[in-house]
């Protein structure tokens, strides 16, 4: 193995000049034009040629050889590679990188944060909705107890409790309902989580945004049959404002301000989150 680069997070890769075209040939015969970033006995990490995101991972057991831009070649022995192959199949890995496609046990999304070396993290939904935070009349609106700014799952519990105690239904909270109906574990993100999404898709910085990174995220979302993130629209968070009639939101644009608040009855965009 001749090339190994260690990455702590995907946005570090955004600073690297990705100009060398490598050829990755799978055992299936499929050929990919890529830029290889890391090679280990278990897997290789790469981005598509002339892109900086998303970052893909393949087990070496599925790779015949890699021919690098300088003509050198790494060939992978199937018998040896199989011994160290991850237990999951292609596209369904135990280890994920920021910007990777996630598709496991019926849960599909794009990774925006990782912990524990990529074994756990957060994904956003492929699709999005356009709806109100609440349909309860503004003059009747009271706090639901959604005060958590870091973990939207706690706010979802608060909404569920509020519904039970006040004889309401999830229909009264369209944004949270849409996220909840995607399946167990999906939730309407807290304010900091929505803000973090905007920072990640801008290349890890709002002060020095990287437009090409946002384009790559949106290209992946479209490739998966979803909707691109809209830089011109606000996305609801599950965190209520101090004024109980209002909810908070953020956006995916580098423009200031990054967060705001407005009537819970307003229709804004909604993107569901899931922690794996």
């Amino acid at each position: 193995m001749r090339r190994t680069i260690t990455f702590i997070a995907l946005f570090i890769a955004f600073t690297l000049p990705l100009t060398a075209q490598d050829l990755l040939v799978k055992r299936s015969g499929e050929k990919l034009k890529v830029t290889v970033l890391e090679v280990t006995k278990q897997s290789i990490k790469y981005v598509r040629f002339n892109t900086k995101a998303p970052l893909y991972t393949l087990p070496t057991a599925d790779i015949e050889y890699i021919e690098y831009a300088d003509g050198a070649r790494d060939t992978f022995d199937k018998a040896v590679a199989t011994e160290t192959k991850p237990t999951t199949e292609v596209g369904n890995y135990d280890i994920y990188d920021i910007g990777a496609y996630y598709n496991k046990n019926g849960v599909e999304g794009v990774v925006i944060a990782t912990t524990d070396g990529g074994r756990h993290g957060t994904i956003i939904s492929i699709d999005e909705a356009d709806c109100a935070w609440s349909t309860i009349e503004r003059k009747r609106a009271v706090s639901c107890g959604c005060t958590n700014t870091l973990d939207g799952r706690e706010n979802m519990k608060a909404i569920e409790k509020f519904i039970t105690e006040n004889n309401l239904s999830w229909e009264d909270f369209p944004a949270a309902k849409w996220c909840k109906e995607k399946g167990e574990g999906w939730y309407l993100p807290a304010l900091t989580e929505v803000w973090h999404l905007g920072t990640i898709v801008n290349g890890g910085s709002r002060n020095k945004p990287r437009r090409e990174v946002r384009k790559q995220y949106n290209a992946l979302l479209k490739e998966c049959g979803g909707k691109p993130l809209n830089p011109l629209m606000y996305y609801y968070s599950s965190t209520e404002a101090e004024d109980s009639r209002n909810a908070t939101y953020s956006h995916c644009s580098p423009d200031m301000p990054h967060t705001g608040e407005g009537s819970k009855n307003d229709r804004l965009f909604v993107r569901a989150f899931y922690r794996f």
Side-chain angles (χ1 to χ4, degrees), residues 2-3 22-23 65-75:
R2 57 186 297 278
R3 304 191 180 192
D22 303 319
L23 179 65
Y65 66 86
I66 299 171
E67 186 173 293
Y68 299 101
D70 59 7
R73 177 181 291 198
D74 275 341
T75 301

Side-chain angles (χ1 to χ4, degrees), residues 40-263:
T40 69
K41 290 182 179 179
Q42 292 78 26
S43 64
I44 69 110
K45 295 181 181 180
Y46 67 91
V47 292
R48 293 173 179 172
F49 179 60
N50 270 344
T51 68
K52 296 184 180 181
L55 181 64
Y56 294 91
T57 304
L58 275 179
T60 52
D62 292 340
I63 303 169
E64 187 72 34
Y65 66 86
I66 299 171
E67 186 173 293
Y68 299 101
D70 59 7
R73 177 181 291 198
D74 275 341
T75 301
F76 301 90
D77 186 280
K78 185 176 181 180
V80 174
T82 302
E83 295 177 2
T84 56
K85 182 179 178 180
T87 57
T88 50
E89 297 298 325
V90 175
N92 196 19
Y93 309 111
D94 289 327
I95 304 298
Y96 293 86
D97 299 286
I98 296 174
Y101 171 62
Y102 181 100
N103 187 2
K104 188 173 184 178
N105 299 326
V107 176
E108 181 184 21
V110 174
V111 179
I112 62 165
T114 60
T115 60
D116 192 24
R119 291 176 176 82
H120 302 286
T122 303
I123 65 173
I124 59 170
S125 60
I126 297 297
D127 57 347
E128 62 186 27
D130 172 11
C131 55
W133 199 95
S134 173
T135 58
I136 298 173
E137 284 185 274
R138 183 169 173 80
K139 63 182 180 181
R140 295 176 48 232
V142 296
S143 174
C144 301
C146 298
T147 58
N148 199 304
T149 61
L150 300 175
D151 190 347
R153 295 173 299 178
E154 294 302 313
N155 293 331
M156 294 290 281
K157 293 177 184 177
I159 293 175
E160 184 172 20
K161 180 180 179 182
F162 186 81
I163 288 172
T164 302
E165 293 177 348
N166 293 275
N167 195 29
L168 298 171
S169 74
W170 285 99
E171 296 289 341
D172 296 303
F173 303 93
K177 174 178 178 289
W178 182 81
C179 297
K180 182 176 184 295
E181 288 185 341
K182 296 190 73 64
E184 184 177 358
W186 287 99
Y187 64 95
L188 181 63
L191 182 58
T192 300
E193 292 178 292
V194 185
W195 176 87
H196 175 74
L197 168 63
T199 301
I200 288 296
V201 299
N202 277 288
S205 171
R206 300 272 190 152
N207 295 325
K208 296 181 179 180
R210 297 177 180 274
R211 186 175 300 175
E212 71 275 13
V213 175
R214 185 167 65 242
K215 287 183 178 180
Q216 291 301 321
Y217 269 96
N218 284 339
L220 177 58
L221 289 167
K222 289 177 68 176
E223 182 181 327
C224 297
K227 293 184 178 181
L229 290 158
N230 192 324
L232 303 178
M233 293 294 294
Y234 283 105
Y235 285 82
Y236 263 131
S237 86
S238 57
T239 308
E240 293 176 288
E242 287 188 20
D243 183 339
S244 60
R245 299 170 298 176
N246 293 345
T248 60
Y249 46 69
S250 188
H251 57 69
C252 294
S253 168
D255 298 333
M256 296 286 284
H258 304 322
T259 62
E261 65 177 73
S263 172

